[in-house]
Amino acid sequence: MTEEQRKWIDEASIEALLSRLRFAPSGDPIFTGEAGEHLLKTIARRREEAGPAAWTAASKAVGWERGTP
């Protein structure tokens, strides 16, 4: 994992993490190797910290189609 990848993962908002998870192109290197493991652990931790209501609100804000919350 590069320092740039670690920094992005650690500093990204819940919405940014969800958006990347949903809309990144296939093969995005952020999902492979050590970076991928760190990303998934960070998402899980943020989800637990946020709680169900905040996580659901973030998910709805991101939406399921690019450009449409």
Side-chain angles (χ1 to χ4, degrees), residues 54-68:
W55 188 261
T56 299
S59 179
K60 287 181 179 180
V62 170
W64 285 98
E65 294 183 33
R66 193 165 268 305
T68 56

Side-chain angles (χ1 to χ4, degrees), residues 9 12-13 15 21-23 33 35-36 45-46 49 53 56-57 64 66 68:
I9 292 167
S13 66
E15 290 85 357
L21 186 63
R22 291 182 185 170
F23 304 121
R45 187 183 74 245
R46 296 271 184 87
E49 292 170 352
T56 299
W64 285 98
R66 193 165 268 305
T68 56

Side-chain angles (χ1 to χ4, degrees), residues 12-65:
S13 66
I14 293 170
E15 290 85 357
L17 292 168
L18 282 170
S19 183
R20 187 118 182 219
L21 186 63
R22 291 182 185 170
F23 304 121
S26 183
D28 186 332
I30 202 83
F31 298 108
T32 61
E34 189 180 336
E37 289 177 27
H38 183 60
L39 177 71
L40 293 178
K41 286 178 184 177
T42 300
I43 289 172
R45 187 183 74 245
R46 296 271 184 87
R47 182 177 185 171
E48 186 155 326
E49 292 170 352
W55 188 261
T56 299
S59 179
K60 287 181 179 180
V62 170
W64 285 98
E65 294 183 33

